[in-house]
Each structure stands twice: as C-alpha cells, then as structure tokens.
Amino acid sequence: MPTVDPLLKAEAISKSFGSGDSLVKVFESVDLTVLPGDFVAIMGPSGCGKSTLLHLLAGLDDPDSGVVAVEGRSWQGRSLEERARMRGETIGFVFQFHHLLPELSVEENVALPLLLAGWKEERALGEARECLDRVGMMPRHSAFPRTLSGGERQRTALARAVVRKPRLLLCDEPTGSLDAAHAAEVFELLTVVARERAGAVVVVTHDRAWARRCATMLHLAAGGLNPSVEDGPPGAPYGNPGPSGSR
Amino acid sequence: MALALLAGFQGHIRERLIAETPHLTVRPEGRGEFLPADGLEEKISQLPGVLRVTPFVRGRVWVTQSSRSTPADAIGREGLSGIVMDPPLAGALALLPGVEVTLVSSRTRLSPLGPVPIVLSLPLSGIVPPVTSRRKPELELPIAEARRLMALPLDAASGYEIRMKDPRDPSRMAEEIRLCAGRGVSVSTWEDSNRPLVAALKLEKIVLFTTISLIVIVAGLNLAAITAVLAATRAGDAAVLAVLGAPPSTVGRVFLAAGVLLGLAGTAGGAVFGTTLAHVLDRFRLIPLPTRLYSIDHVPFRLEPADLAAVVVLSCVWSVLVALGPSRAVARMNTVEVLRANG
Ligand SMILES: Nc1ncnc2c1ncn2[C@@H]1O[C@H](COP(=O)(O)OP(=O)(O)OP(=O)(O)O)[C@@H](O)[C@H]1O
Ligand SMILES: [Mg+2]
C-alpha cells in the first residue's frame, strides 16, 4: 500500500485545564491521523473535549503533551504570527454559531480570509461570489448578516471557511444551532462543497445519522479517540473508505 | 475656542497698547536732557521704519488746588492745550474739568528773594483713565509749559517717543537706534515699558493652554475607555479574525485604527465647531460687553492658526497613545477563551 503523507497528525496529545484541586483532565493520549480526502466525524458526550480537540488541531491552543502537526509542520515552537499565517493557509473553520462580522456584507465576510491573505479586493470578491454561489447564497450576497436566517448565516460561514481552499476543514457542530430541516441542508452542502474545495474534513457533530454517513466515525472519550461501535459502513457515500483514525 | 477668545482679548489689549503707548522711548542715560544740537531727533527720524519722533519732558511736580496738594509725575507732550490727568489724581484733589490747576515744580529759579519754586497755572482739560495700570499717578501738559516748569532751555527734551510703521517687533528697531545714537542713550520698547502686562498676557496663555491640554487628556481617557469597551465587546470578532488567519499584529492594528479614527473624528469635529463658533461670534459681535467696564463693546475672538494646530496635534497624538493600550491587549488575547466565552 503506497504511503500517503498525512494532512494532519496528532500523536498522544493530552489536555487538562486548571491546576491543583481544580485540575480538569479533558482527555489523554489522543491519536488522530487525517489523510487527504478523509471525512472524519467526531462524536462524544457534551464536555468530553471535542471543541478543545479542534482548537488543539488548529493550533489555537497547545496540548499538555504530545504533538500536532499539519502537513508535517508542528504547531509547537511557532510564534503567534507564524501560526496565524499557517492557519490561514491550511485550515478552514466553521463554528456552531456563524461568527460573521456584523459590519460586513455577506460577500465581504466571505472574502475576508482572502483579504487577510493579501488578495486584491476585486479578485477576493470574485472568489467569494463563486463560493456563495456554491452554497446558494448568491442572491443575498450584498445583505448583512443580521438580516439572514440561521441556515443562511451558517451557509455563509461555510463559504467563508472554504474560500481559501483549505487543506483541512474543521467544523465544530456546524449545525448545532439549526433546526432539523436547516441542519440537513447545511450538512448536505458541507459534504458537497468540502469535497470540492477542501482537502479533508474533521467535523464534530451530535447527529448520529449524519456521522454515520461520514467515512470515518470516531468517539472521543477521556481515554482517547476510538472507532465508534457503529462505524461507517464500507463504501460510505463520502470520502475514503475505511477507518483512518486511531491506529 | 477658548484660545480664540483669549487671543481675541489679548489682541485687543495689545492693539490698544500699541495704539496708545509709544512704541519706543529713547532717553539719555543718567540725568540730563537731549538738546536739538545733538541732532539725535533728526538721525532717528531718518531711520527706515520710523513713523514719527516726538520729544517729551518729564519731571516731578506738586499739583495744588485750594489748600490741597499731591505729588505727581508730569510729562510734557506736543499737541496739548491743557492738563490731562489720571482719575485717581483728579479724585484725590476733587478736581473737575475746566478748573484752574496750579503746578509747583521741584526745580527752583533764582529771584531777588533767593531761590523760589517755579509755579504755573493751567486749566484742567481732561480726566482720562490710563491704558495700562501705573504705579504712580501721572498728568500730561503741553510741552512748552513743561519746559518752563522744569527750567529747561527751548527745544530741550527729556527723551523722544517713537512710533513705528510696524510695531510688532520693537526690539530690532531698538537695537538699530542704540547703534545710531551711540553711547549714553537708553532705548526701551513698548513691551519693556508694559512688561508686567505683557508677561501677564503670556502667562495667561500658558495657563489656558495647560487647561486645554488637561481637557484633551481627560477626553482622551474617555476615548481610552471607549476603545477598551470596544475591544472587550468585539473580542469575539477579533478571535474570529485570528481563526481566519489574521496575525495578532493585524488584529491589533484594526482596533488601533478604530480608536484613532474615533479620536481624529472627535478632533476634527471639535476643531470645525470651535472655529466656526469663534468666527460667527466675532463676525456678528454676538456677545456684548458693557462699555463702561471694558474698553470694547463685544467679546472678540481671534483664531490663531498656531493655536489651532497645537491643540489638534496634541489631541491626535494623544488619541494614538491612548488607543494603543486596548488594541495591544486585543492583539495578545487568548483566542480559545474568547471563542469559548462567545459560544
Ligand atoms: N479554560 C478552561 N478552564 C477550565 N476548564 C475548561 C476550560 N476550557 C474547557 N474546559 C473544560 O474542558 C472540558 C471540555 O470542553 P469542550 O468545550 O471541549 O467540550 P465539548 O466536547 O466541546 O462539549 P460540547 O459538546 O458541549 O460542546 C469541559 O469539561 C470544560 O469544562
Ligand atoms: Mg463544543
């Protein structure tokens, strides 16, 4: 089997908050490898550290021990400036809440990562409109976030996350704030758009039905990441077949 | 605005000083008089920039009326027909315009009975308050009478008063006259002779500028508070920027720009408002003053570009300094905690 360089590699990472009596151990010895084309779902009870794990993967926080490396480059020992640049180049992020900037229109919000990367405004807006078209938000491209519905906001946030064609798309309960109908719509878009524009996807979700449709379904617990008992069926509709998680 | 008000009043006072006091006064050093033979009057009046040279005679006299008398500095000038004196002096002797006043000189003349003081009677033609406050009461009288009182020869003068075409920089002119008159002559400018007043005007300006600086600083602290609140309420957005790949320096700059823009807007607004108000109030003389108390009938405003520039520069620099703190705090924030706090 030809070896493919992993997009993301987390080795034996552990994380705790506080110290002394108030020490909270979130998880220990978590391993995760994400290959190009992977579509990984992470599930787990509330408070088990799913958001914390995504923050560590995105280099927003440091693990107590272990190493996280994106495309072979570790976050550790890099300055904040360097991390920001690396994050902008390789990672897209979708949150539970849209986190769009209220002063900017939909297309400006989507173009923002490109503008931060130094693109010319003209080109950035063009690319942003292309993404908006993919998520069906083109008709509202000049609207402001406060006038959008929850589903529309989340679709815009999705467009913003993939506008720079990230190698890795991290989603933290992207449908958590939506009702079932909108959640289905956003999730559908996520799977389609992500395959077009992102190298690989790691998505945290509580929706078992959707998680089951992902290529890999992992369960986070204090002891680590384990393949879920109901692992995705072979030949799942999205991503690479076969588990690529904890091994 | 306040500076314009002060500049207006100060400008008015300076104008009156310039209008009513000699720009330069030339006197012999020590006791003595200038005589026409010196040719000094001629020489000075031929200097460029000199408008007019007039001789004057100074001396101490006793002013007597009925049984009362009081000492005074007398100064003889050209173009007078009677005595003009300060109100306090007239008040002390209960004098009214029109009465005959007797002046007794400190000089004496020899008579068959020995030396007797020189005495002169003249009508009081006016009681006029002085432009500047003086330590001693003064009276003015025609120069010819003054010469007689002081027992000076015809055409002698205790000194010359000089009016200049452009009185704003009198010290350079004073220097020229010193050169041309040679030794034994002292030259004083209108700024010298009104030194306490001129110094008070300068001090007043410094105090006012300090006050305005304090106001700007307090307003700046207010701006700091606003920027800090802005930074706190928009920390979530700053965290999103960080997640989207904005380095801390960029995030900091965004908030710095916000704070500074706010400061600049405030400065610009204040400058425009103050300038307009000062202009309108001065142009249409909107604030009247009782003429009995003040020498002018409305509150004058004069906007000096330098004053305006100083305040604007101070305000701008201060708003940058003040916005720096909160923006650096935002740049150094813990992204994860902010994200967690903002859901
Ligand atoms: N700064 C912190 N200080 C102390 N404890 C923290 C801190 N951040 C997170 N935790 C704890 O870490 C644990 C994991 O938090 P995390 O938000 O990652 O959970 P989660 O799996 O995302 O939960 P949910 O499904 O509700 O979003 C929680 O028990 C939380 O209380
Ligand atoms: Mg979470």
Side-chain angles (χ1 to χ4, degrees):
Chain A
M1 186 169 158
T3 51
V4 191
D5 283 340
L7 255 181
L8 175 82
K9 200 164 171 64
E11 278 177 303
I13 53 173
S14 60
K15 183 71 183 172
S16 57
F17 288 105
S19 57
D21 281 348
S22 61
L23 184 85
V24 182
K25 274 195 174 166
V26 185
F27 49 68
E28 269 177 331
S29 60
V30 166
D31 295 294
L32 177 66
T33 305
V34 178
L35 301 175
D38 270 354
F39 202 114
V40 180
I42 294 177
M43 299 197 60
S46 185
C48 71
K50 304 181 296 296
S51 298
T52 306
L53 177 60
L54 287 192
H55 293 155
L56 294 179
L57 298 183
L60 292 167
D61 203 357
D62 287 320
D64 297 341
S65 62
V67 180
V68 180
V70 176
E71 298 184 314
R73 291 188 291 170
S74 157
W75 290 116
Q76 271 92 341
R78 290 180 195 277
S79 72
L80 291 178
E81 304 274 330
E82 224 176 324
R83 284 184 185 213
R85 202 174 325 112
M86 211 166 119
R87 186 157 49 237
E89 282 165 11
T90 54
I91 292 179
F93 222 111
V94 183
F95 304 93
Q96 178 174 2
F97 299 98
H98 57 92
H99 284 311
L100 298 172
L101 300 184
E103 287 87 356
L104 300 183
S105 70
V106 163
E107 60 181 351
E108 286 164 343
N109 260 292
V110 174
L112 194 56
L114 300 176
L115 296 174
L116 286 173
W119 284 40
K120 287 255 167 3
E121 189 168 341
E122 201 83 344
R123 247 183 92 214
L125 285 177
E127 188 76 12
R129 293 204 187 106
E130 209 165 291
C131 282
L132 284 172
D133 196 35
R134 293 301 299 127
V135 298
M137 283 298 295
M138 208 36 210
R140 306 294 315 269
H141 70 93
S142 57
F144 285 88
R146 64 175 179 282
T147 66
L148 301 180
S149 75
E152 288 172 329
R153 289 177 194 173
Q154 212 56 357
R155 270 148 59 192
T156 307
L158 176 60
R160 181 178 66 182
V162 298
V163 74
R164 256 187 104 177
K165 298 207 169 88
R167 258 87 84 200
L168 183 64
L169 180 63
L170 302 176
C171 309
D172 193 356
E173 301 184 41
T175 58
S177 63
L178 304 178
D179 60 51
H182 279 115
E185 182 186 67
V186 168
F187 222 109
E188 203 65 57
L189 276 172
L190 174 65
T191 51
V192 175
V193 174
R195 246 193 315 166
E196 280 175 13
R197 300 187 65 104
V201 181
V202 175
V203 53
V204 165
T205 180
H206 284 297
D207 191 324
R208 194 158 278 278
W210 284 110
R212 225 177 263 131
R213 290 178 60 186
C214 297
T216 312
M217 185 165 141
L218 300 174
H219 211 86
L220 183 63
L225 262 179
N226 303 303
S228 175
V229 268
E230 325 165 58
D231 207 342
Y238 310 109
N240 276 354
S244 53
S246 171
R247 50 188 146 178
Chain B
M1 186 64 208
L3 281 174
L5 172 63
L6 187 72
F9 265 119
Q10 291 201 349
H12 177 72
I13 291 172
R14 290 173 83 92
E15 270 162 20
R16 289 211 41 184
L17 279 181
I18 287 172
E20 301 185 19
T21 64
H23 301 158
L24 292 170
T25 308
V26 185
R27 306 197 62 175
E29 265 168 9
R31 294 186 154 266
E33 293 81 32
F34 291 132
L35 292 169
D38 300 341
L40 191 61
E41 186 176 353
E42 191 80 348
K43 265 197 266 176
I44 294 175
S45 51
Q46 272 158 17
L47 283 176
V50 171
L51 199 63
R52 189 152 27 88
V53 183
T54 47
F56 66 89
V57 171
R58 260 183 181 285
R60 299 278 294 159
V61 294
W62 281 86
V63 187
T64 319
Q65 228 281 324
S66 317
S67 55
R68 291 189 244 188
S69 78
T70 181
D73 276 337
I75 177 158
R77 286 203 172 95
E78 288 178 337
L80 290 171
S81 58
I83 294 176
V84 177
M85 60 173 65
D86 293 346
L89 186 55
L93 296 169
L95 295 178
L96 289 173
V99 302
E100 255 330 85
V101 179
T102 305
L103 303 179
V104 181
S105 167
S106 50
R107 300 283 179 99
T108 53
R109 81 186 143 86
L110 274 176
S111 77
L113 301 171
V116 292
I118 304 172
V119 178
L120 205 74
S121 275
L122 279 172
L124 178 60
S125 61
I127 300 173
V128 174
V131 188
T132 63
S133 53
R134 285 191 276 250
R135 254 166 298 136
K136 290 184 211 152
E138 275 193 0
L139 61 84
E140 286 183 73
L141 70 164
I143 190 164
E145 316 293 346
R147 286 197 184 104
R148 268 174 50 209
L149 264 181
M150 296 304 144
L152 293 180
L154 210 63
D155 293 339
S158 318
Y160 297 113
E161 293 177 340
I162 297 164
R163 295 191 69 80
M164 295 160 56
K165 288 184 185 125
D166 178 10
R168 271 169 305 180
D169 185 16
S171 27
R172 239 194 47 240
M173 192 79 220
E175 203 47 50
E176 274 180 48
I177 292 176
R178 246 172 241 134
L179 279 177
C180 124
R183 305 181 59 196
V185 168
S186 84
V187 184
S188 61
T189 67
W190 64 269
E191 284 184 332
D192 295 332
S193 42
N194 296 295
R195 190 154 295 291
L197 187 59
V198 172
L201 293 184
K202 281 208 178 102
L203 182 68
E204 199 180 8
K205 186 138 200 174
I206 292 172
V207 167
L208 188 66
F209 196 79
T210 312
T211 312
I212 289 179
S213 303
L214 287 177
I215 293 174
V216 168
I217 285 170
V218 170
L221 291 180
N222 197 12
L223 181 69
I226 292 174
T227 317
V229 169
L230 185 76
T233 53
R234 305 308 298 274
D237 294 332
V240 172
L241 285 181
V243 171
L244 295 181
S249 53
T250 306
V251 176
R253 271 208 300 280
V254 169
F255 281 82
L256 180 63
V260 170
L261 275 182
L262 213 59
L264 292 188
T267 306
V272 168
F273 178 73
T275 311
T276 316
L277 197 61
H279 182 75
V280 168
L281 289 180
D282 189 52
R283 178 79 178 65
F284 300 105
R285 312 194 157 192
L286 290 181
I287 306 181
L289 285 178
T291 18
R292 274 185 303 114
L293 294 182
Y294 297 93
S295 51
I296 184 169
D297 66 349
H298 67 281
V299 177
F301 291 88
R302 181 186 304 177
L303 200 67
E304 303 276 357
D307 292 350
L308 184 66
V311 173
V312 165
V313 166
L314 175 74
S315 169
C316 290
V317 168
W318 182 236
S319 47
V320 172
L321 288 181
V322 141
L324 219 51
S327 64
R328 294 181 65 156
V330 176
R332 281 199 304 262
M333 75 185 163
N334 182 331
T335 311
V336 171
E337 299 213 332
V338 176
L339 280 179
R340 187 174 292 282
N342 287 264

